[in-house]
Amino acid sequence: MAVEKHTDEAAPLPTTKKQKTMVEQAPDSEWPAAWLMPEGDCENQKAKNMREPNVPVTVEELKDIGICYWKLDASAYEYPAMSVPWDPKDAVDPKLAQIRDDRGYSYADIITVHPEKLPAYDDKVKAFFEEHIHDAEEIRYILGGSGFFDVRNKKDEWVRIHIKAGDLMTLPEGIYHRFTVDEEDCIHAMRLFVGQPVWTPFNRPCEEHESRKKYVEEFLLDEKKTEE
């Protein structure tokens, strides 16, 4: 009769593949300045448009509405003024390449918003400032110049974010937002996308749009329940 052998040795743990290292978002101290805009119409979209006194918006508040942000060194690498498209596989900045791979960005283009670079400049800048959503994440890497992204917070107030060279920021699918150059009238930016690019804006109101419903469910439902 065979005797069962017992051992106190622990069974070996199953081997697993090495986990991929993701590029962490920038520390709070590196995020761009953000503040609440005055209520009512915006007479000069290129001005800072701060409240009196200024009401800063914290990084925690930006993250809470789905904003992501990384700080890169745009000045260390050369990029074309215009390239539509631009292959993101050509990125030589290792940090940009890692973010590209982490988030699956397979398409990119590079544009310069400037009176001498963009045909119908005034009309385009005006169109960018219409409040809208997209049915995909919006990704912008600022290579030079500066401008403003305005996003709606949980109280439906405008938050103005001042973006400059080296800022890589993403806006979640379905968030109400708009964009403008600042008073320098120049911004050099890379746009990234997962899969085939679709830049279609859906102007407000679009509460019944599936992307807006998705955003509300993920980021705003708790706020709406509190109000009720």
Side-chain angles (χ1 to χ4, degrees), residues 111-114 142 144-148 163 179-181 185-189:
I111 63 169
T112 298
V113 181
H114 182 274
I142 310 306
S146 51
F148 299 113
I163 50 174
F179 168 79
T180 183
V181 293
D185 273 315
C186 183
I187 192 165
H188 184 203

Side-chain angles (χ1 to χ4, degrees), residues 58-79:
T58 67
V59 172
E60 183 180 358
E61 290 174 291
L62 295 178
K63 289 180 177 179
D64 204 33
I65 55 174
I67 307 298
C68 296
Y69 175 81
W70 294 263
K71 186 68 176 179
L72 284 69
D73 185 1
S75 65
Y77 305 91
E78 292 187 5
Y79 298 94

Side-chain angles (χ1 to χ4, degrees), residues 34 50 53 76-77 81 102 171 177 180 187 205 215:
M50 293 178 171
Y77 305 91
D102 288 348
L171 308 184
H177 67 282
T180 183
I187 192 165
Y215 179 80

Side-chain angles (χ1 to χ4, degrees), residues 3 9 19 24 61 75 117 185 213 217 224:
V3 178
E9 294 180 3
Q19 294 231 345
E24 293 185 1
E61 290 174 291
S75 65
K117 297 288 186 180
D185 273 315
K213 289 181 180 179
E217 182 175 354
K224 288 182 177 293

